Amino acid sequence: MDYKIAVIRGDGIGPEIVNEAVKVMETVGAKYGHSFGFVDVLMGGCATDAVGKSYPDGTAETCKACDAVLLGAVGGPKWGSDKPAEQRPETALLAIRKDLELFTNLRPATMRKGMEDASPLKRETAEKGFDIMMVRELTGGIYFGKRDRYQTEDRGEEATDLMTYSEMEIERIGRQAFELARLRSKKVTSVDKANVLATSRLWREVMHRLAKEYPDVTYEDMLVDNCAMQIVRDPGQFDVVVTENMFGDILSDEASQVTGSIGLLPSASLGAQAPGLYEPIHGSAPDIAGQDKANPMATILSVAMMFRYSFKLAAEADAIENAVDAVLGEGWHTADIAGDPEKLVGCRKMGELIRAHI
Ligand code: IPM
Ligand code: MG
């Protein structure tokens, strides 16, 4: 098959990690008989520098004409929160999610063999292993609600961010979670703050309704503060975790860290139709940009998710994931992962090692 991929290299380490991922796609293509056409899309701080805004006109249209989108990372101190919204890379990220209607964000956090020492978990907890599929709602909630900032009479300035969820939004993300659980260990943990928030109480009601439609899936509610604690206490208890946008943002960073490195975690953002968007969950790491130090694994594993979810190419996805596991199993690591100094490699070398295993 022929696939057209929109490639957003972005800022910081974005270009170098995407380079390795693109080469992995070509290696897989050569082996399994697929070809890929890559369309470069300018977005992020680099777009602000080039054309004055982080999300240039036509970005969504270009992406929509492709089968999938691969994104490196956007952001950096140069385009900080003191800059106008249209110049900030984060604005572009939220806009593309909204424009492509990518309401489902899958963030798997797995304890990979060989990473137990790098994990901050207690040895016995790490050795038990875990395989969490974090399902984050991505186009609703407080990140997309009305914001305001204004002067008050007697309390100085005031700011507000509104969190809103509709039954429709909750139900469609909930369904994704239950469907995924059916393909995995058949357990859904829905995370909310129903003891305080109205949005969470609606969330919980809708989830309970859905749970009745999936009697083969074990269902539980968990409060977000408790969930944050359980992820470090006993991550092995989780299978699919479904939650709203902001809780998912925070918990997925936490879950990624207990795997031993945030540099290993891929993500998929999916809507009702193509294209899906695939990106590592880490950021643009401007401090190490351009030094051949970044870990390309999360981006390469994002490509595996692209093959699995957008193209339904499971064997190709497995080949990539197995290659990453093999390289880690041999002790190779980038600087973000502790290990044998003799087996410390850079971004390019890591990409090469992974390709050699495919
Ligand atoms: C993420 C990031 C973004 C988010 C930021 C950069 C807007 O933290 O993808 O998790 O909050 O979604
Ligand atoms: Mg985040």
Side-chain angles (χ1 to χ4, degrees), residues 97 107 136 143 248-250 252-253 281:
R97 290 171 181 170
R107 297 188 162 186
R136 167 186 176 193
Y143 289 8
D249 184 21
I250 298 167
S252 61
D253 267 30
I281 92 152

Side-chain angles (χ1 to χ4, degrees), residues 74 89-91 93-94 97 105 107 136 138 143 245 248-250 252-253 267 279-282:
V74 296
E90 292 75 13
T91 307
L93 208 49
L94 296 178
R97 290 171 181 170
N105 185 214
R107 297 188 162 186
R136 167 186 176 193
L138 201 60
Y143 289 8
N245 203 342
D249 184 21
I250 298 167
S252 61
D253 267 30
S267 80
E279 58 174 321
I281 92 152
H282 61 70

Side-chain angles (χ1 to χ4, degrees), residues 175 178 182 204-219:
R175 221 169 261 295
F178 280 100
R182 278 195 167 153
R204 200 175 268 210
E205 275 172 43
V206 174
M207 289 294 166
H208 285 193
R209 237 159 41 208
L210 277 175
K212 291 207 184 86
E213 284 183 45
Y214 295 85
D216 51 320
V217 176
T218 307
Y219 174 86

Side-chain angles (χ1 to χ4, degrees), residues 54 106 123 147 175 212 266 271 281 349-350:
S54 63
L106 305 181
R123 177 101 212 168
R147 312 183 194 298
R175 221 169 261 295
K212 291 207 184 86
I281 92 152
K349 180 73 187 170
M350 185 53 96

Side-chain angles (χ1 to χ4, degrees), residues 25-341:
M25 292 185 77
E26 282 167 340
T27 305
V28 172
K31 177 161 176 192
Y32 292 86
H34 310 293
S35 63
F36 300 101
F38 298 99
V39 180
D40 265 299
V41 177
L42 188 68
M43 190 185 104
C46 53
T48 300
D49 287 351
V51 300
K53 44 187 171 182
S54 63
Y55 191 62
D57 301 340
T59 304
E61 289 64 33
T62 308
C63 292
K64 280 183 188 166
C66 294
D67 300 305
V69 183
L70 177 65
L71 190 154
V74 296
K78 190 173 166 196
W79 315 279
S81 50
D82 54 321
K83 294 285 185 311
E86 76 272 11
Q87 294 180 14
R88 292 201 301 266
E90 292 75 13
T91 307
L93 208 49
L94 296 178
I96 198 168
R97 290 171 181 170
K98 198 72 174 177
D99 286 347
L100 301 182
E101 293 174 79
L102 305 171
F103 63 86
T104 305
N105 185 214
L106 305 181
R107 297 188 162 186
T110 318
M111 188 77 232
R112 291 187 181 269
K113 280 264 160 298
M115 289 296 295
E116 293 82 357
D117 280 334
S119 168
L121 293 173
K122 276 196 197 138
R123 177 101 212 168
E124 68 255 33
T125 312
E127 272 170 358
K128 271 204 285 179
F130 58 87
D131 181 5
I132 305 174
M133 179 59 86
M134 189 79 71
V135 180
R136 167 186 176 193
E137 200 291 323
L138 201 60
T139 52
I142 197 166
Y143 289 8
F144 290 93
K146 209 169 154 239
R147 312 183 194 298
D148 204 0
R149 191 166 151 167
Y150 47 86
Q151 197 62 46
T152 65
E153 291 276 308
D154 52 353
R155 301 181 305 282
E157 256 198 301
E158 202 164 89
T160 171
D161 297 280
L162 192 64
M163 187 194 286
T164 308
Y165 268 107
S166 65
E167 283 184 275
M168 179 278 284
E169 289 175 299
I170 301 167
E171 186 176 328
R172 67 181 180 182
I173 189 73
R175 221 169 261 295
Q176 297 284 338
F178 280 100
E179 291 292 334
L180 267 168
R182 278 195 167 153
L183 304 173
R184 298 169 43 99
S185 304
K186 297 197 168 57
K187 181 177 176 193
V188 168
T189 305
S190 166
V191 175
D192 63 35
K193 188 70 184 173
N195 52 351
V196 179
L197 302 176
T199 41
S200 282
R201 284 193 283 274
L202 179 61
W203 180 279
R204 200 175 268 210
E205 275 172 43
V206 174
M207 289 294 166
H208 285 193
R209 237 159 41 208
L210 277 175
K212 291 207 184 86
E213 284 183 45
Y214 295 85
D216 51 320
V217 176
T218 307
Y219 174 86
E220 67 178 359
D221 300 305
M222 192 176 279
L223 294 172
V224 61
D225 42 357
N226 183 27
C227 182
M229 184 173 76
Q230 296 300 332
I231 286 173
V232 292
R233 198 188 67 86
D234 176 23
Q237 70 185 284
F238 296 111
D239 177 25
V240 173
V241 175
V242 62
T243 190
E244 65 87 40
N245 203 342
M246 180 166 63
F247 297 162
D249 184 21
I250 298 167
L251 293 176
S252 61
D253 267 30
E254 187 193 9
S256 73
Q257 190 55 48
V258 299
T259 66
S261 171
I262 192 166
L264 286 180
L265 276 279
S267 80
S269 303
L270 308 170
Q273 61 236 7
L277 182 147
Y278 298 84
E279 58 174 321
I281 92 152
H282 61 70
S284 60
D287 52 319
I288 58 162
Q291 298 170 34
D292 193 33
K293 282 187 185 158
N295 186 351
M297 285 180 164
T299 317
I300 290 170
L301 289 168
S302 299
V303 165
M305 291 189 88
M306 181 191 294
F307 285 170
R308 192 179 304 284
Y309 293 103
S310 281
F311 307 152
K312 314 289 177 217
L313 298 174
E316 288 80 341
D318 286 344
I320 296 175
E321 287 163 2
N322 292 339
V324 169
D325 280 337
V327 170
L328 283 173
E330 289 168 10
W332 299 105
H333 63 101
T334 38
D336 53 308
I337 302 171
D340 179 356

